[in-house]
Amino acid sequence: MTSAERIAHARKAADELNAILLAEGRSNLLARPWQQAVRRLAHNLWVDASDDDILAVAREDAGSLCPPRDFFIYRDDPDARKALNEQLDALVNRLRSLIREG
């Protein structure tokens, strides 16, 4: 996969992750640092720079998304809660994979 393709996929993953976290709104105070980090990462994936520079900054930003998470997204339905938190983890892992070196 080329750097441009990795960036395009990373943008999509960051947007999906951002949507999940924004849906939590202010109700999940522990998610706020992650919300801010994801917004910064999503923004930096769109800057006008070389692909290498975009990926380098994204790798720095991804350091803010360090597992283990200290929050979970709560839903009344246990299956929905499990699925959403698994989706969150999968998106973070995909994003990290896309922006890692090489």
Side-chain angles (χ1 to χ4, degrees), residues 36-49:
Q36 292 169 348
V38 169
R39 273 185 250 155
R40 182 179 55 247
L41 174 62
H43 168 79
N44 287 337
L45 286 167
W46 286 97
V47 297
D48 185 19

Side-chain angles (χ1 to χ4, degrees), residues 80-94:
R81 179 175 54 241
K82 181 180 179 198
L84 191 56
N85 281 284
E86 286 175 352
Q87 180 184 10
L88 184 68
D89 289 336
L91 283 168
V92 169
N93 290 335
R94 175 145 174 74

Side-chain angles (χ1 to χ4, degrees), residues 16-27:
E16 290 177 38
L17 189 55
N18 195 33
I20 291 170
L21 293 171
L22 287 176
E24 287 301 287
R26 296 181 178 185
S27 64

